Amino acid sequence: MHLDHTHPHTHDGPAALSADAHRPDGRRRALRIGLGGPVGSGKTATVAALCRALRDELSLAVVTNDIYTREDAEFLLREAVLPPERITAVETGACPHTAIRDDISANLEAVEELEDEVGPLDLILVESGGDNLTATFSKGLVDAQIFVIDVAGGDDIPRKGGPGVTTADLLVINKTDLAPYVGSDLARMAADAKAQRAELPVVLQSLRGEGGVTAVAQWVRERLAAWTA
Amino acid sequence: MTTATTGGVRATARISARADGRGGTALPVLEGEGPLALRRTRAAAGDEARVMLVGAMSGPLGGDHFTVAAEAGAGARLHVGSAAATIALPGQAKGGARYDVRLEVAAGGELRWLPEQLISAAGSELYVTSRIELAPGARLVFREEQVLGRAGEEPGRLTSRLTVRLGGRPLYDQEVACGPGAPGGWDGPAVLAGHRALGQVIVVRPEFEERVPEARLLGECAALTPLAGPAVLVTALAGDALRLRRLLDEALATLG
Amino acid sequence: MTRAALLVLADGRFPAGGHAHSGGAEAAVKAGRITGASGLESFCRGRLHTAGLVSAGLAAAAALGMDPAELDAAADARTPSPALRGVARRLGRQLMRAARVTWPSAELDALARQFPKGAHQPVVLGVAARAAGLGAEDAAYCSVYEGVSGPATATVRLLSLDPFDATGVVARLAPEMDLVVGRAVEAARRAVHDGVDVLPAASAPLLEIGAEGHAGWAVRLFAS
């Protein structure tokens, strides 16, 4: 049997344009927020805390991009922050930044699959594998991104800048409770970040401290309100 | 009729199995010739007909063309084995040998095709095609084992294509090519990695439509895998024919 | 056909998910069957003449306009490992997404509707080649090149192999890639008249067995 050679330009049907705000059935898709940052800065812990803070009010799912294991996904499963069907691990062939920026096809499959299987969803958190300071998310994959660094990684990171620190929609400086022990100057980090980011927001957070993830959760709620408006 | 030509020997064997209406299986057709002699033997189970392929000559040799055709009708249970391994040898005639196997099983019929190994001797050149047509509801156990070279010798050139169709649709289609002159890399890390015995068992059962066994590894170089249909494949590589048979038998036993 | 379109489709940076797959190289490295450039070459050569030939035949046949559903069933029959069938469909779906945005086409849309969970990657590749204005030979070249360069790139990451050595392996295989493309296209042209059964079916038992093992690993760099 032969297909004919007509090529009308259409975008209907499943798996349409990546950044399209609507699903094939016309409903608005979930807001997608990416979390990136260096290894050990607390991305997975922040995701877990966000899930605990938001799961009563929102329909949530998480995609993890692990470098060579499923440990981040398994941490979330062990912590029981979400039921297992709401957590998907994407394998990245040793290049996590490729999977969130240069070739987002596997992540797009994962977010769409989650919406198909457990939807409707309000919010999908896409966590990057721990990478370097240049890793950012493609706009074809996420609607907003959070960059997580920590005080123990060196208090000169905000000053050094880089795409993550400079352009992320929210910069989180994590583990502030450790600052006295590692000799990091919180005030200087905040000032450097402000200088790099102009009007873009910065949150200083300690997940062990009193406020916990409250400020980041509030920022997510605001993004969601803007998305659904 | 066996026809000896300058190019080699042509021979055909035919088996037809039918339910005999008394809970057993009759063999209205049982015709062998020349190197492909057939014997009916005592069956293990009462309702099964058992046939042995008995090699009356050596071969296939270069230039020979053998064909074995067997079919099992509705309700018939046919078991085909062989008395000894088949050895592909170089012949006087130019060119390779062909060995064609044509099997058909009707709905409600069963064929157990369990011959001994095919040994590809040094200098031989053999092209095997096995085509199996199954009706929906047919049952099949099909085993083939290839041994590359007799003890301590280089293998001959062997190509073996195995095609199984179920209800006219492809279920399994794979071709093994090895030995001198085969496409590159056949003995390398993606294909055989130095193993000298390889084998497949395909089991097709209608009840696998409901539930097919899960994929599992059977040691380093063997696996049981469900196919895209009511069937499983056991594929195995081993150092020699004995170890290969043990792997395949163990895997078959787990299917019950 | 346009050569530039061929380069776009064949580029390893074409965003269709290939970077996360090693084509069986990770399993072969772990088993000690690839330890350096010569093992990689032997692996790639074997893969090229087996899985590579089969994929190229399917891609060429799809590029000639054969029914993708029939080709997809033929691909299933040529892929005994369920892990590899799953990988082929996932990659097919990822390629479908990239190709539909890159070369919008009614045929790709129809294929996406028919196989919402993905058709086998070589089938999608052939239809994508048509959408890009490319022919059967182009589709076969994309397929065999990807089938060799994927494991080579992966082995650079897995063994910290010298990237020049790995590229040398791929270059040395170029004449054999030409040969395999020729065989694949010839078979695909016959298949248009004689049906999918005449397409190549060359098997690589260790790729199939290795893929089943790899799928069960708890720790791995590549998805396959």
Side-chain angles (χ1 to χ4, degrees), chain A residues 104-118:
Chain A
I104 56 176
S105 56
N107 270 293
L108 286 170
E109 295 296 315
V111 294
E112 286 180 8
E113 194 103 312
L114 281 168
E115 289 208 67
D116 286 346
E117 304 293 322
V118 299

Side-chain angles (χ1 to χ4, degrees), chain B residues 28-45:
Chain B
V29 178
L30 188 67
E31 302 169 357
E33 58 177 359
L36 299 174
L38 300 174
R39 301 271 181 280
R40 182 165 189 169
T41 61
R42 185 179 292 277

Side-chain angles (χ1 to χ4, degrees), chain B:
Chain B
M1 281 296 289
T2 311
T3 347
T5 63
T6 50
V9 175
R10 293 182 76 85
T12 301
R14 286 197 176 79
I15 309 164
S16 272
R18 291 286 178 271
D20 65 5
R22 302 185 306 274
T25 298
L27 297 174
V29 178
L30 188 67
E31 302 169 357
E33 58 177 359
L36 299 174
L38 300 174
R39 301 271 181 280
R40 182 165 189 169
T41 61
R42 185 179 292 277
D47 55 350
E48 179 186 85
R50 187 175 279 227
V51 173
M52 284 289 235
L53 262 163
V54 185
M57 291 162 62
S58 62
L61 311 180
D64 290 353
H65 185 169
F66 295 174
T67 304
V68 180
E71 48 129 1
R77 292 188 65 201
L78 174 62
H79 177 128
V80 180
S82 68
T86 301
I87 308 181
L89 293 163
Q92 301 300 316
K94 280 208 167 70
R98 283 190 66 109
Y99 201 124
D100 296 324
V101 175
R102 301 289 177 265
L103 308 177
E104 260 181 73
V105 188
E110 180 181 66
L111 174 61
R112 297 171 65 80
W113 181 266
L114 297 162
E116 296 306 305
Q117 299 84 357
L118 169 65
I119 302 171
S120 171
S124 69
E125 188 183 341
L126 175 64
Y127 187 61
V128 182
T129 67
S130 306
R131 284 199 204 130
I132 307 170
E133 290 283 348
L134 305 175
R139 302 173 74 82
L140 174 76
V141 178
F142 177 95
R143 177 178 73 206
E144 64 168 16
E145 296 159 297
Q146 291 107 3
V147 180
L148 309 186
R150 289 166 296 194
E153 75 174 6
E154 283 300 297
R157 172 85 165 87
L158 174 66
T159 305
S160 180
R161 175 105 174 221
L162 169 56
T163 308
V164 185
R165 296 167 64 87
L166 175 62
R169 291 176 55 77
L171 174 67
Y172 180 85
D173 197 347
Q174 290 279 264
E175 181 175 282
V176 170
C178 46
W186 65 269
D187 205 18
V191 189
L192 298 182
H195 293 90
R196 283 295 170 262
L198 63 144
Q200 289 79 238
V201 178
I202 293 184
V203 180
V204 183
R205 293 179 186 169
E207 56 267 31
F208 287 161
E209 290 280 7
E210 306 298 320
R211 220 175 89 209
V212 71
E214 279 181 19
R216 63 177 181 276
L217 281 185
L218 312 158
E220 279 272 291
C221 291
L224 182 148
T225 52
L227 298 176
V232 298
L233 169 77
V234 181
T235 186
L237 301 180
D240 59 53
L242 269 178
R243 275 180 277 188
L244 175 67
R245 178 63 63 85
R246 202 178 309 135
L247 272 168
L248 296 177
D249 282 350
E250 281 170 14
L252 259 182
T254 66
L255 293 174

